[in-house]
Amino acid sequence: MKKLAIGLMLSLGLMANAQAGDAAEGKKLSAVCAACHGADGNSLAPTFPKIAGLGEKYLLKQLKDFKSGARANAIMAGQVAALNEQQMADLAAYFASQAITIGYADKEKVALGEKIYRAGNKSTGVPACLACHAADGKGMSAAAFPALGGQHADYIKAQLVTFQENKRDNDASAVMRDIAARLSNKEIDAVSAYIQGLH
């Protein structure tokens, strides 16, 4: 819980340094993004994330992290290599202004997924996901905590596993790595499925 509070403070500190983006300019730059993420940020492929409505500060941080190498992804590193900070801010503003489409949760996984999302797992020290990502999955954009509701289950699961295995480490104070390390594979699968239908 202490790491979560520290992570929140760090995220709020990053907010003060955020650059203002222009959504109209971002739309002009977004055509290249559409191949993987869809024209409005709603990817049809479950392995590519929906980036619509994720929150401007979160999206800008991810773009900057891809560019700096703080978040490793060969495809995204190539996509952001030629972008300057204003262009990244404009893209973040555009995709943050779009509405995410909601999927459906796997009925067989809803009960466990909802329990983890709403209450965590006290016995293993897993906090409720809603503490940072909100009860409706809309996130906390001021703190740069992304909206999750409606995101592809396959993508959520893949990200939780990369946090669990320390292959993704651009989370403030290792908050997500600490949480994912405490989740079982069954819990990851269930909460990912639940999030896909959350709205």
Side-chain angles (χ1 to χ4, degrees):
M1 197 53 109
K2 185 176 179 182
K3 281 187 177 183
L4 185 60
I6 291 169
L8 178 59
M9 288 186 288
L10 286 172
S11 294
L12 290 172
L14 291 172
M15 178 180 67
N17 297 325
Q19 188 163 344
D22 181 329
E25 289 300 314
K27 183 175 183 176
K28 294 175 189 174
L29 297 167
S30 70
V32 71
C33 308
C36 296
H37 300 290
D40 64 350
N42 283 294
S43 163
L44 296 177
T47 52
F48 293 125
K50 294 179 184 181
I51 57 175
L54 282 186
E56 190 171 346
K57 292 173 187 70
Y58 175 78
L59 287 168
L60 181 57
K61 179 185 184 311
Q62 299 314 302
L63 289 171
K64 287 181 175 182
D65 285 355
F66 286 130
K67 188 171 178 93
S68 72
R71 182 172 176 189
N73 182 295
I75 294 170
M76 284 304 301
Q79 294 299 317
V80 299
L83 296 175
N84 63 37
E85 291 211 7
Q86 186 61 55
Q87 291 170 321
M88 289 189 285
D90 293 344
L91 281 167
Y94 171 66
F95 285 113
S97 72
Q98 303 304 298
I100 193 168
T101 57
I102 306 301
Y104 297 93
D106 183 331
K107 292 178 186 177
E108 295 178 7
K109 300 174 184 175
V110 167
L112 177 58
E114 182 176 24
K115 178 183 176 288
I116 296 300
Y117 191 88
R118 298 194 176 282
N121 184 337
K122 189 175 180 180
S123 67
T124 57
V126 173
C129 305
L130 62 73
C132 295
H133 300 286
D136 58 4
K138 294 195 190 291
M140 295 173 57
S141 61
F145 294 150
L148 298 179
Q151 186 59 263
H152 295 299
D154 288 352
Y155 180 76
I156 292 289
K157 183 176 178 179
Q159 294 311 299
L160 287 171
V161 169
T162 60
F163 279 126
Q164 186 183 56
E165 296 175 350
N166 272 320
K167 292 179 181 173
R168 179 174 172 187
D169 60 0
N170 71 327
D171 53 326
S173 301
V175 171
M176 283 306 305
R177 283 173 280 168
D178 182 53
I179 292 168
R182 298 167 188 265
L183 288 166
S184 70
N185 291 339
K186 183 176 181 181
E187 288 172 330
I188 286 176
D189 191 46
V191 78
S192 298
Y194 176 73
I195 286 169
Q196 183 169 283
L198 181 62
H199 56 90

